[in-house]
Amino acid sequence: MLEAIGAGSRPRIGPRDWKDIWLESPEFAKLKREIEELKAEGAARSTEEVTQQSTYATPILYQLQVVVKRSLLSLWRSPDYTWTRLFVHIFLSLFISLAFLNLGVSVRNLQYRVFAIFWATLLPSFVFYQIVPAFIINRMLFIREASSKMYSPVVFAVGQILAETPWSTVCAILYWVLMYFPLGLGQGSSGKAGSGYYLLMLIAIEYFGVTLAQAVAALSPNVTFAVITNMPLTIILFTFAGVVIPYPNMAKFWRSWLYQLSPFTRMVAGLVATELHGLPVTCRDDEYAVFDPPTGQTCGAWASTFVDSFGGYLKDANATSHCQYCQVQVGDEYLKGLNMDYDNRWRDLGIVFAFF
């Protein structure tokens, strides 16, 4: 700009002075009219009006609008940040779906379904490593601007959360599409209608990952400390979610509070219960427990009381030898051992959103 007006090392561009061009321009005339209108408007106000004292020059909602718009624009101009986040979700979803492609309905596949769903607990951990540095850099910018009282700390915090929401939603949808359908989920009573619940839970856990990362970053003096905090925190949350250590095998001390406290407990319980509810189970040949009934009795006559009490089914109740017993007949029987209930699925979803 200095070179254009002749104040730099080169001659001025054009035969006329840029000041004269500006003074004769329609933009200058428009600006003068706006100034006169503002003067007239100020003079027309009653001198008896009492001006309300405020720390900030603009209302909270206006501050939030401007801050969120700036944060969204900043994310849009940071392709390394956004595309890396999308790539992580695409890679993880394809890694899981291709490893457990087209799951069946055997007892072994029930466990595979649980593990495939459980992998979603890693999403907040991956999001954590991306959000923490970005938040701390933005916090440094806010500290620099705070002295001018441009916007409040509350607006900054809420703006950071809202700016991440669109990208979190897109990531959740990508993960859902590339994982849910290739795995062949939705074969239980909920059918494909359960896919909507699955998407809502993924969105909720994505939002939780954002707020968790930003909360840790806000309490951390630097990026290094925040990143070091992520690993033990994440391990604690998903270890006591009821899958790595099943609920019946968990120590009473951890089961009484940490199991209940972890949002991953509610996420896994809601998704697994929706998936396995009403799912008919057919054991493979190597999954049957084989036994012989007493002489003269059929498998059904001798083992029916046990089957009625503990669930499962007999492959051939009329056989008199080599009885084949499958320990699970429907997915709900498998849920009981994990302390999960289909009737609590919406409560679990609400709890996960409450963590957000």
Side-chain angles (χ1 to χ4, degrees):
M1 185 175 66
L2 293 175
E3 292 180 355
I5 64 175
S9 59
R10 298 180 181 179
R12 182 182 64 197
I13 299 175
R16 300 184 60 196
D17 193 294
W18 286 93
K19 176 183 71 69
D20 297 332
I21 296 176
W22 163 249
L23 293 176
E24 297 175 6
S25 66
E27 289 81 4
F28 176 74
K30 180 181 178 182
L31 183 60
K32 287 189 64 176
R33 287 195 300 271
E34 291 179 358
I35 294 175
E36 294 300 328
E37 290 174 0
L38 291 174
K39 288 182 179 180
E41 182 181 348
R45 292 178 182 175
S46 174
T47 56
E48 298 180 357
E49 291 183 2
V50 179
T51 303
Q52 184 179 2
Q53 296 295 326
S54 176
T55 305
Y56 304 98
T58 56
I60 291 291
L61 291 179
Y62 181 77
Q63 296 176 35
L64 186 61
Q65 177 186 353
V66 174
V67 171
V68 170
K69 182 178 180 180
R70 185 179 71 169
S71 299
L72 287 171
L73 186 60
S74 176
L75 291 176
W76 179 254
R77 291 174 175 175
S78 305
D80 292 343
Y81 176 84
T82 53
W83 283 106
T84 300
R85 189 169 172 185
L86 293 174
F87 173 78
V88 167
H89 284 75
I90 293 172
F91 174 80
L92 184 61
S93 59
L94 289 177
F95 176 79
I96 298 169
S97 60
L98 294 179
F100 300 102
L101 192 64
N102 291 326
L103 290 173
V105 292
S106 65
V107 175
R108 189 178 297 113
N109 282 321
L110 290 182
Q111 187 64 40
Y112 292 161
R113 289 174 187 269
V114 174
F115 273 124
I117 291 172
F118 176 73
W119 272 94
T121 59
L122 293 179
L123 293 178
S125 178
F126 290 124
V127 170
F128 190 100
Y129 287 112
Q130 294 180 281
I131 290 179
V132 165
F135 181 89
I136 291 180
I137 292 173
N138 291 335
R139 184 180 64 182
M140 294 170 60
L141 178 63
F142 165 74
I143 293 173
R144 187 186 70 185
E145 297 174 341
S147 58
S148 62
K149 299 296 183 181
M150 296 172 63
Y151 53 94
S152 72
V154 175
V155 169
F156 166 74
V158 175
Q160 291 297 303
I161 295 173
L162 294 180
E164 292 284 354
T165 300
W167 291 106
S168 298
T169 305
V170 172
C171 289
I173 293 174
L174 280 175
Y175 185 89
W176 169 68
V177 170
L178 297 177
M179 178 187 170
Y180 187 88
F181 298 100
L183 282 177
L185 302 181
Q187 299 182 35
S189 297
S190 299
K192 293 301 180 183
S195 62
Y197 178 89
Y198 198 100
L199 176 60
L200 288 175
M201 186 65 84
L202 287 177
I203 292 175
I205 207 66
E206 283 279 347
Y207 291 173
F208 164 72
V210 170
T211 54
L212 176 65
Q214 293 184 351
V216 173
L219 297 173
S220 302
N222 50 57
V223 175
T224 303
F225 181 86
V227 170
I228 292 175
T229 307
N230 175 44
M231 188 55 66
L233 183 61
T234 304
I235 290 176
I236 291 172
L237 289 178
F238 74 66
T239 298
F240 296 98
V243 176
V244 176
I245 305 175
Y247 179 81
N249 300 335
M250 195 177 299
K252 185 177 180 181
F253 175 76
W254 303 115
R255 188 171 58 193
S256 62
W257 68 281
L258 194 51
Y259 169 81
Q260 304 294 342
L261 183 63
S262 174
F264 295 154
T265 299
R266 305 304 170 189
M267 185 206 77
V268 173
L271 294 180
V272 171
T274 302
E275 174 59 26
L276 299 189
H277 175 64
L279 179 67
V281 179
T282 303
C283 279
R284 295 178 179 177
D285 292 338
D286 60 342
E287 294 176 340
Y288 285 105
V290 181
F291 61 92
D292 290 321
T295 304
Q297 293 192 34
T298 63
C299 298
W302 190 69
S304 59
T305 304
F306 175 85
V307 174
D308 293 339
S309 301
F310 294 94
Y313 68 93
L314 294 169
K315 184 177 182 180
D316 185 3
N318 296 321
T320 56
S321 63
H322 295 89
C323 302
Q324 294 178 301
Y325 169 71
C326 183
Q327 59 182 331
V328 181
Q329 184 175 17
V330 68
D332 297 85
E333 297 175 359
Y334 190 82
L335 291 175
K336 294 179 181 178
L338 298 175
N339 192 40
M340 299 175 184
D341 192 346
Y342 177 76
D343 294 333
N344 295 331
R345 66 194 186 282
W346 292 110
R347 180 206 67 181
D348 294 335
L349 178 63
I351 292 175
V352 177
F353 266 112
F355 274 96
F356 166 61

